[in-house]
Amino acid sequence: MRQSRDGIGGAGAPPGTLRVTQKAAGCAEVNMAARASVAGGGRLMDKFRKWYYNAAGFNKLGLMRDDTWYEDDDVKEAVRRLPEHLYNERMFRIKRALDLSLKHQILPKDQWVKYEEDQHYLEPYLKEVIRERLEREEWNKK
């Protein structure tokens, strides 16, 4: 917002208040219009994400996105911290996908994991592990 030349709030305004000029108000309208066009672009990005999710092919084997992470030390620790039922479900999906892959088959279409149904079950644990590792590295620097 642009301030007037006669101080922060202008003539007669209480101290510490801002006076909005017509030019600043016009800029605000342009910014709001730009946000609306970005929101429309969000639908396009969502369609692209769905297309890419299906094109990747792991969902046709019954895998979720978090099942496909490369297992470095952070991911291994996050998997170790999973509750037992989530760990067992993950192992079942991975073993089934390996079996299907060896047979050169895919699941029937009604059993594919849909983009809307994919849960990021590992992400909170992974973020916590990474945060702890970075904090540990920070302490070791001192």
Side-chain angles (χ1 to χ4, degrees), residues 52-101:
Y52 188 77
Y53 185 85
N54 287 320
F58 59 83
N59 65 324
K60 297 173 185 174
L61 297 172
L63 294 173
M64 292 184 170
R65 185 194 70 137
D66 286 356
D67 296 334
T68 63
W69 284 92
Y70 174 74
E71 290 201 15
D72 60 359
D73 292 335
D74 291 341
V75 174
K76 286 179 184 177
E77 178 62 23
V79 168
R80 191 186 66 76
R81 294 182 183 189
L82 283 174
E84 187 176 358
H85 70 94
L86 288 177
Y87 178 80
N88 290 337
E89 290 172 2
R90 173 186 166 89
M91 287 299 111
F92 172 78
R93 287 191 301 269
I94 291 173
K95 287 179 181 182
R96 178 178 58 182
L98 284 171
D99 184 52
L100 289 168
S101 180

Short mmCIF file of all heavy atoms in Angstrom, two decimals, residues 52-101:
data_model
loop_
_atom_site.label_atom_id
_atom_site.label_comp_id
_atom_site.label_asym_id
_atom_site.label_seq_id
_atom_site.Cartn_x
_atom_site.Cartn_y
_atom_site.Cartn_z
N TYR A 52 -0.47 -38.02 -14.39
CA TYR A 52 0.88 -38.49 -14.09
C TYR A 52 0.85 -39.65 -13.10
O TYR A 52 1.62 -40.60 -13.23
CB TYR A 52 1.74 -37.34 -13.54
CG TYR A 52 3.19 -37.72 -13.40
CD1 TYR A 52 4.02 -37.76 -14.51
CD2 TYR A 52 3.71 -38.07 -12.16
CE1 TYR A 52 5.34 -38.12 -14.40
CE2 TYR A 52 5.04 -38.44 -12.03
CZ TYR A 52 5.85 -38.46 -13.15
OH TYR A 52 7.16 -38.84 -13.03
N TYR A 53 -0.04 -39.58 -12.12
CA TYR A 53 -0.19 -40.65 -11.13
C TYR A 53 -0.52 -41.96 -11.84
O TYR A 53 0.06 -43.00 -11.55
CB TYR A 53 -1.27 -40.27 -10.13
CG TYR A 53 -1.44 -41.24 -8.99
CD1 TYR A 53 -0.64 -41.15 -7.86
CD2 TYR A 53 -2.39 -42.24 -9.03
CE1 TYR A 53 -0.78 -42.04 -6.81
CE2 TYR A 53 -2.55 -43.13 -7.98
CZ TYR A 53 -1.74 -43.02 -6.88
OH TYR A 53 -1.88 -43.91 -5.84
N ASN A 54 -1.46 -41.91 -12.79
CA ASN A 54 -1.85 -43.11 -13.52
C ASN A 54 -0.77 -43.54 -14.51
O ASN A 54 -0.57 -44.73 -14.74
CB ASN A 54 -3.18 -42.90 -14.23
CG ASN A 54 -4.34 -42.89 -13.26
OD1 ASN A 54 -4.39 -43.66 -12.33
ND2 ASN A 54 -5.27 -41.98 -13.48
N ALA A 55 -0.06 -42.57 -15.10
CA ALA A 55 0.98 -42.90 -16.07
C ALA A 55 2.18 -43.56 -15.41
O ALA A 55 2.89 -44.35 -16.04
CB ALA A 55 1.41 -41.64 -16.82
N ALA A 56 2.44 -43.25 -14.15
CA ALA A 56 3.58 -43.84 -13.45
C ALA A 56 3.43 -45.36 -13.35
O ALA A 56 4.41 -46.08 -13.42
CB ALA A 56 3.73 -43.22 -12.06
N GLY A 57 2.23 -45.84 -13.16
CA GLY A 57 1.96 -47.27 -13.22
C GLY A 57 2.03 -48.03 -11.91
O GLY A 57 1.58 -49.18 -11.84
N PHE A 58 2.59 -47.45 -10.87
CA PHE A 58 2.70 -48.20 -9.61
C PHE A 58 1.33 -48.49 -9.02
O PHE A 58 1.16 -49.48 -8.32
CB PHE A 58 3.59 -47.47 -8.60
CG PHE A 58 3.14 -46.10 -8.21
CD1 PHE A 58 2.19 -45.90 -7.23
CD2 PHE A 58 3.69 -44.98 -8.82
CE1 PHE A 58 1.78 -44.64 -6.87
CE2 PHE A 58 3.29 -43.71 -8.46
CZ PHE A 58 2.33 -43.54 -7.50
N ASN A 59 0.34 -47.63 -9.30
CA ASN A 59 -0.99 -47.86 -8.76
C ASN A 59 -1.65 -49.09 -9.41
O ASN A 59 -2.52 -49.72 -8.80
CB ASN A 59 -1.87 -46.64 -8.94
CG ASN A 59 -2.15 -46.32 -10.39
OD1 ASN A 59 -1.30 -46.49 -11.25
ND2 ASN A 59 -3.34 -45.83 -10.66
N LYS A 60 -1.22 -49.45 -10.60
CA LYS A 60 -1.78 -50.63 -11.27
C LYS A 60 -1.29 -51.92 -10.63
O LYS A 60 -1.86 -52.98 -10.85
CB LYS A 60 -1.41 -50.59 -12.75
CG LYS A 60 -2.00 -49.40 -13.47
CD LYS A 60 -1.51 -49.27 -14.88
CE LYS A 60 -2.05 -47.98 -15.48
NZ LYS A 60 -1.49 -47.72 -16.79
N LEU A 61 -0.23 -51.80 -9.83
CA LEU A 61 0.29 -52.95 -9.08
C LEU A 61 -0.22 -52.95 -7.65
O LEU A 61 0.16 -53.80 -6.85
CB LEU A 61 1.81 -52.94 -9.09
CG LEU A 61 2.47 -53.07 -10.45
CD1 LEU A 61 3.97 -52.84 -10.35
CD2 LEU A 61 2.17 -54.42 -11.07
N GLY A 62 -1.05 -51.97 -7.31
CA GLY A 62 -1.62 -51.90 -5.97
C GLY A 62 -0.76 -51.13 -4.99
O GLY A 62 -1.01 -51.18 -3.78
N LEU A 63 0.25 -50.41 -5.48
CA LEU A 63 1.13 -49.64 -4.60
C LEU A 63 0.61 -48.24 -4.38
O LEU A 63 -0.06 -47.67 -5.24
CB LEU A 63 2.54 -49.57 -5.19
CG LEU A 63 3.32 -50.87 -5.28
CD1 LEU A 63 4.61 -50.66 -6.05
CD2 LEU A 63 3.59 -51.43 -3.90
N MET A 64 0.94 -47.67 -3.24
CA MET A 64 0.67 -46.26 -2.97
C MET A 64 1.96 -45.48 -3.20
O MET A 64 3.04 -46.07 -3.31
CB MET A 64 0.21 -46.07 -1.52
CG MET A 64 -1.14 -46.66 -1.23
SD MET A 64 -1.61 -46.27 0.46
CE MET A 64 -3.29 -46.80 0.45
N ARG A 65 1.85 -44.16 -3.27
CA ARG A 65 3.00 -43.32 -3.55
C ARG A 65 4.11 -43.53 -2.52
O ARG A 65 5.28 -43.63 -2.88
CB ARG A 65 2.59 -41.84 -3.57
CG ARG A 65 3.72 -40.92 -3.98
CD ARG A 65 3.38 -39.50 -3.65
NE ARG A 65 3.40 -39.33 -2.20
CZ ARG A 65 3.94 -38.30 -1.58
NH1 ARG A 65 4.46 -37.33 -2.28
NH2 ARG A 65 3.93 -38.21 -0.27
N ASP A 66 3.76 -43.62 -1.25
CA ASP A 66 4.78 -43.76 -0.21
C ASP A 66 5.45 -45.13 -0.23
O ASP A 66 6.49 -45.31 0.39
CB ASP A 66 4.18 -43.48 1.17
CG ASP A 66 3.92 -42.00 1.39
OD1 ASP A 66 4.28 -41.19 0.51
OD2 ASP A 66 3.37 -41.65 2.44
N ASP A 67 4.87 -46.10 -0.93
CA ASP A 67 5.50 -47.41 -1.06
C ASP A 67 6.68 -47.36 -2.04
O ASP A 67 7.50 -48.28 -2.05
CB ASP A 67 4.50 -48.45 -1.58
CG ASP A 67 3.35 -48.69 -0.62
OD1 ASP A 67 3.54 -48.49 0.59
OD2 ASP A 67 2.27 -49.09 -1.10
N THR A 68 6.77 -46.32 -2.83
CA THR A 68 7.77 -46.25 -3.90
C THR A 68 8.99 -45.42 -3.53
O THR A 68 9.87 -45.24 -4.36
CB THR A 68 7.15 -45.67 -5.19
OG1 THR A 68 6.72 -44.34 -4.94
CG2 THR A 68 5.99 -46.52 -5.66
N TRP A 69 9.07 -44.91 -2.30
CA TRP A 69 10.22 -44.11 -1.88
C TRP A 69 11.49 -44.95 -1.96
O TRP A 69 11.49 -46.13 -1.59
CB TRP A 69 10.06 -43.64 -0.44
CG TRP A 69 9.11 -42.51 -0.25
CD1 TRP A 69 7.78 -42.60 0.03
CD2 TRP A 69 9.40 -41.12 -0.30
NE1 TRP A 69 7.24 -41.35 0.16
CE2 TRP A 69 8.23 -40.44 -0.04
CE3 TRP A 69 10.57 -40.40 -0.54
CZ2 TRP A 69 8.17 -39.05 -0.02
CZ3 TRP A 69 10.50 -39.02 -0.51
CH2 TRP A 69 9.30 -38.37 -0.27
N TYR A 70 12.59 -44.34 -2.39
CA TYR A 70 13.89 -45.00 -2.32
C TYR A 70 14.28 -45.11 -0.85
O TYR A 70 14.22 -44.13 -0.12
CB TYR A 70 14.94 -44.18 -3.09
CG TYR A 70 16.33 -44.73 -2.94
CD1 TYR A 70 16.71 -45.89 -3.61
CD2 TYR A 70 17.25 -44.12 -2.10
CE1 TYR A 70 17.97 -46.42 -3.45
CE2 TYR A 70 18.52 -44.63 -1.94
CZ TYR A 70 18.88 -45.78 -2.62
OH TYR A 70 20.14 -46.29 -2.46
N GLU A 71 14.66 -46.28 -0.43
CA GLU A 71 14.88 -46.52 1.00
C GLU A 71 16.31 -46.15 1.41
O GLU A 71 17.18 -47.00 1.49
CB GLU A 71 14.55 -47.96 1.36
CG GLU A 71 13.07 -48.24 1.27
CD GLU A 71 12.64 -49.45 2.08
OE1 GLU A 71 13.41 -49.92 2.92
OE2 GLU A 71 11.52 -49.91 1.83
N ASP A 72 16.51 -44.87 1.70
CA ASP A 72 17.76 -44.43 2.30
C ASP A 72 17.61 -44.54 3.82
O ASP A 72 16.63 -45.11 4.31
CB ASP A 72 18.12 -43.00 1.87
CG ASP A 72 17.05 -41.98 2.25
OD1 ASP A 72 16.03 -42.37 2.83
OD2 ASP A 72 17.26 -40.79 1.96
N ASP A 73 18.59 -44.04 4.55
CA ASP A 73 18.56 -44.19 6.01
C ASP A 73 17.33 -43.52 6.64
O ASP A 73 16.74 -44.06 7.58
CB ASP A 73 19.83 -43.61 6.63
CG ASP A 73 21.06 -44.42 6.27
OD1 ASP A 73 20.91 -45.63 5.97
OD2 ASP A 73 22.17 -43.86 6.28
N ASP A 74 16.94 -42.34 6.12
CA ASP A 74 15.79 -41.63 6.68
C ASP A 74 14.50 -42.42 6.47
O ASP A 74 13.68 -42.56 7.37
CB ASP A 74 15.66 -40.24 6.06
CG ASP A 74 16.77 -39.30 6.48
OD1 ASP A 74 17.44 -39.58 7.51
OD2 ASP A 74 16.97 -38.28 5.79
N VAL A 75 14.32 -42.94 5.26
CA VAL A 75 13.10 -43.69 4.94
C VAL A 75 13.05 -44.99 5.74
O VAL A 75 12.00 -45.38 6.26
CB VAL A 75 12.98 -43.95 3.43
CG1 VAL A 75 11.79 -44.84 3.12
CG2 VAL A 75 12.86 -42.64 2.67
N LYS A 76 14.21 -45.65 5.89
CA LYS A 76 14.24 -46.89 6.67
C LYS A 76 13.83 -46.63 8.12
O LYS A 76 13.07 -47.41 8.71
CB LYS A 76 15.63 -47.51 6.64
CG LYS A 76 15.96 -48.17 5.31
CD LYS A 76 17.36 -48.74 5.33
CE LYS A 76 17.71 -49.31 3.96
NZ LYS A 76 19.09 -49.81 3.92
N GLU A 77 14.30 -45.52 8.68
CA GLU A 77 13.93 -45.18 10.06
C GLU A 77 12.44 -44.85 10.15
O GLU A 77 11.77 -45.24 11.10
CB GLU A 77 14.79 -44.02 10.56
CG GLU A 77 14.45 -43.56 11.96
CD GLU A 77 14.65 -44.61 13.03
OE1 GLU A 77 15.43 -45.56 12.83
OE2 GLU A 77 14.00 -44.50 14.10
N ALA A 78 11.91 -44.13 9.15
CA ALA A 78 10.48 -43.80 9.15
C ALA A 78 9.64 -45.07 9.05
O ALA A 78 8.62 -45.20 9.74
CB ALA A 78 10.17 -42.84 8.00
N VAL A 79 10.04 -46.02 8.22
CA VAL A 79 9.32 -47.28 8.09
C VAL A 79 9.38 -48.06 9.40
O VAL A 79 8.40 -48.67 9.83
CB VAL A 79 9.88 -48.13 6.91
CG1 VAL A 79 9.35 -49.55 6.94
CG2 VAL A 79 9.56 -47.47 5.59
N ARG A 80 10.53 -48.02 10.06
CA ARG A 80 10.68 -48.71 11.35
C ARG A 80 9.72 -48.15 12.40
O ARG A 80 9.22 -48.87 13.25
CB ARG A 80 12.12 -48.59 11.84
CG ARG A 80 12.44 -49.47 13.01
CD ARG A 80 13.83 -49.21 13.57
NE ARG A 80 13.95 -47.88 14.17
CZ ARG A 80 13.44 -47.53 15.37
NH1 ARG A 80 12.76 -48.40 16.07
NH2 ARG A 80 13.60 -46.31 15.84
N ARG A 81 9.42 -46.84 12.29
CA ARG A 81 8.54 -46.19 13.27
C ARG A 81 7.05 -46.35 12.97
O ARG A 81 6.21 -45.93 13.75
CB ARG A 81 8.85 -44.69 13.33
CG ARG A 81 10.22 -44.40 13.88
CD ARG A 81 10.45 -42.92 13.95
NE ARG A 81 11.79 -42.62 14.41
CZ ARG A 81 12.20 -41.41 14.73
NH1 ARG A 81 11.38 -40.38 14.64
NH2 ARG A 81 13.44 -41.21 15.13
N LEU A 82 6.72 -46.93 11.83
CA LEU A 82 5.30 -47.10 11.48
C LEU A 82 4.60 -48.00 12.49
O LEU A 82 5.20 -48.95 13.00
CB LEU A 82 5.17 -47.74 10.10
CG LEU A 82 5.39 -46.87 8.88
CD1 LEU A 82 5.37 -47.73 7.62
CD2 LEU A 82 4.35 -45.77 8.78
N PRO A 83 3.32 -47.73 12.76
CA PRO A 83 2.55 -48.68 13.56
C PRO A 83 2.47 -50.03 12.84
O PRO A 83 2.58 -50.10 11.62
CB PRO A 83 1.17 -48.03 13.65
CG PRO A 83 1.37 -46.60 13.32
CD PRO A 83 2.56 -46.54 12.41
N GLU A 84 2.28 -51.07 13.60
CA GLU A 84 2.34 -52.43 13.05
C GLU A 84 1.36 -52.65 11.90
O GLU A 84 1.72 -53.25 10.88
CB GLU A 84 2.09 -53.45 14.16
CG GLU A 84 2.31 -54.87 13.70
CD GLU A 84 2.15 -55.88 14.82
OE1 GLU A 84 1.91 -55.47 15.97
OE2 GLU A 84 2.28 -57.08 14.52
N HIS A 85 0.14 -52.16 12.03
CA HIS A 85 -0.86 -52.40 10.97
C HIS A 85 -0.46 -51.69 9.67
O HIS A 85 -0.63 -52.24 8.58
CB HIS A 85 -2.27 -52.02 11.42
CG HIS A 85 -2.48 -50.55 11.58
ND1 HIS A 85 -2.99 -49.76 10.59
CD2 HIS A 85 -2.23 -49.72 12.63
CE1 HIS A 85 -3.06 -48.51 11.01
NE2 HIS A 85 -2.61 -48.46 12.24
N LEU A 86 0.10 -50.49 9.75
CA LEU A 86 0.56 -49.79 8.54
C LEU A 86 1.76 -50.49 7.92
O LEU A 86 1.86 -50.60 6.70
CB LEU A 86 0.90 -48.33 8.86
CG LEU A 86 -0.27 -47.39 9.14
CD1 LEU A 86 0.24 -46.00 9.51
CD2 LEU A 86 -1.19 -47.31 7.94
N TYR A 87 2.66 -50.96 8.77
CA TYR A 87 3.83 -51.69 8.28
C TYR A 87 3.40 -52.97 7.56
O TYR A 87 3.89 -53.28 6.48
CB TYR A 87 4.77 -52.01 9.45
CG TYR A 87 5.97 -52.80 9.03
CD1 TYR A 87 7.07 -52.17 8.44
CD2 TYR A 87 6.02 -54.18 9.20
CE1 TYR A 87 8.18 -52.90 8.04
CE2 TYR A 87 7.12 -54.92 8.80
CZ TYR A 87 8.20 -54.27 8.23
OH TYR A 87 9.30 -54.99 7.83
N ASN A 88 2.47 -53.71 8.16
CA ASN A 88 1.99 -54.96 7.54
C ASN A 88 1.29 -54.69 6.21
O ASN A 88 1.48 -55.44 5.24
CB ASN A 88 1.07 -55.72 8.49
CG ASN A 88 1.82 -56.30 9.68
OD1 ASN A 88 3.02 -56.51 9.61
ND2 ASN A 88 1.10 -56.54 10.77
N GLU A 89 0.47 -53.64 6.15
CA GLU A 89 -0.20 -53.29 4.89
C GLU A 89 0.82 -52.92 3.82
O GLU A 89 0.69 -53.31 2.65
CB GLU A 89 -1.17 -52.13 5.13
CG GLU A 89 -2.39 -52.51 5.95
CD GLU A 89 -3.23 -51.31 6.34
OE1 GLU A 89 -2.90 -50.17 5.95
OE2 GLU A 89 -4.22 -51.51 7.07
N ARG A 90 1.84 -52.18 4.21
CA ARG A 90 2.89 -51.79 3.26
C ARG A 90 3.61 -53.02 2.72
O ARG A 90 3.82 -53.15 1.51
CB ARG A 90 3.88 -50.86 3.97
CG ARG A 90 5.10 -50.50 3.15
CD ARG A 90 6.10 -49.70 3.99
NE ARG A 90 7.39 -49.61 3.39
CZ ARG A 90 7.76 -48.67 2.55
NH1 ARG A 90 6.93 -47.70 2.22
NH2 ARG A 90 8.98 -48.66 2.04
N MET A 91 3.99 -53.94 3.61
CA MET A 91 4.69 -55.14 3.18
C MET A 91 3.82 -55.99 2.26
O MET A 91 4.30 -56.55 1.27
CB MET A 91 5.13 -55.97 4.40
CG MET A 91 6.28 -55.37 5.16
SD MET A 91 7.77 -55.20 4.16
CE MET A 91 7.89 -53.45 3.99
N PHE A 92 2.51 -56.08 2.55
CA PHE A 92 1.60 -56.84 1.68
C PHE A 92 1.57 -56.23 0.29
O PHE A 92 1.66 -56.95 -0.71
CB PHE A 92 0.19 -56.89 2.28
CG PHE A 92 -0.82 -57.48 1.34
CD1 PHE A 92 -0.89 -58.85 1.16
CD2 PHE A 92 -1.67 -56.66 0.62
CE1 PHE A 92 -1.80 -59.40 0.27
CE2 PHE A 92 -2.60 -57.20 -0.27
CZ PHE A 92 -2.66 -58.58 -0.45
N ARG A 93 1.43 -54.89 0.22
CA ARG A 93 1.36 -54.24 -1.09
C ARG A 93 2.66 -54.44 -1.88
O ARG A 93 2.61 -54.69 -3.08
CB ARG A 93 1.07 -52.74 -0.92
CG ARG A 93 -0.33 -52.43 -0.49
CD ARG A 93 -0.63 -50.94 -0.58
NE ARG A 93 0.26 -50.14 0.24
CZ ARG A 93 0.02 -49.80 1.51
NH1 ARG A 93 -1.08 -50.20 2.09
NH2 ARG A 93 0.89 -49.06 2.18
N ILE A 94 3.79 -54.33 -1.20
CA ILE A 94 5.07 -54.48 -1.90
C ILE A 94 5.26 -55.91 -2.38
O ILE A 94 5.67 -56.14 -3.53
CB ILE A 94 6.23 -54.03 -0.98
CG1 ILE A 94 6.16 -52.51 -0.78
CG2 ILE A 94 7.58 -54.44 -1.54
CD1 ILE A 94 7.14 -51.96 0.23
N LYS A 95 4.94 -56.90 -1.56
CA LYS A 95 5.08 -58.30 -1.97
C LYS A 95 4.14 -58.64 -3.11
O LYS A 95 4.51 -59.36 -4.05
CB LYS A 95 4.83 -59.23 -0.78
CG LYS A 95 5.98 -59.21 0.21
CD LYS A 95 5.71 -60.12 1.39
CE LYS A 95 6.88 -60.06 2.36
NZ LYS A 95 6.68 -60.96 3.50
N ARG A 96 2.89 -58.13 -3.04
CA ARG A 96 1.94 -58.37 -4.14
C ARG A 96 2.44 -57.74 -5.42
O ARG A 96 2.37 -58.34 -6.50
CB ARG A 96 0.56 -57.81 -3.76
CG ARG A 96 -0.47 -57.99 -4.86
CD ARG A 96 -1.82 -57.48 -4.46
NE ARG A 96 -1.75 -56.06 -4.10
CZ ARG A 96 -2.78 -55.34 -3.66
NH1 ARG A 96 -3.95 -55.93 -3.51
NH2 ARG A 96 -2.63 -54.08 -3.38
N ALA A 97 3.00 -56.52 -5.33
CA ALA A 97 3.52 -55.85 -6.52
C ALA A 97 4.70 -56.61 -7.12
O ALA A 97 4.82 -56.72 -8.35
CB ALA A 97 3.92 -54.42 -6.17
N LEU A 98 5.58 -57.14 -6.26
CA LEU A 98 6.71 -57.94 -6.77
C LEU A 98 6.21 -59.19 -7.48
O LEU A 98 6.71 -59.56 -8.55
CB LEU A 98 7.63 -58.32 -5.61
CG LEU A 98 8.54 -57.21 -5.10
CD1 LEU A 98 9.24 -57.64 -3.82
CD2 LEU A 98 9.55 -56.82 -6.15
N ASP A 99 5.22 -59.84 -6.91
CA ASP A 99 4.66 -61.04 -7.51
C ASP A 99 4.03 -60.72 -8.87
O ASP A 99 4.27 -61.43 -9.85
CB ASP A 99 3.63 -61.66 -6.57
CG ASP A 99 3.08 -62.97 -7.10
OD1 ASP A 99 3.88 -63.85 -7.46
OD2 ASP A 99 1.83 -63.10 -7.17
N LEU A 100 3.24 -59.66 -8.92
CA LEU A 100 2.61 -59.26 -10.19
C LEU A 100 3.65 -58.88 -11.23
O LEU A 100 3.52 -59.21 -12.41
CB LEU A 100 1.65 -58.11 -9.96
CG LEU A 100 0.35 -58.43 -9.21
CD1 LEU A 100 -0.37 -57.16 -8.81
CD2 LEU A 100 -0.55 -59.31 -10.07
N SER A 101 4.69 -58.20 -10.79
CA SER A 101 5.74 -57.78 -11.70
C SER A 101 6.48 -58.99 -12.29
O SER A 101 6.78 -59.03 -13.48
CB SER A 101 6.73 -56.87 -10.97
OG SER A 101 7.75 -56.46 -11.83
#
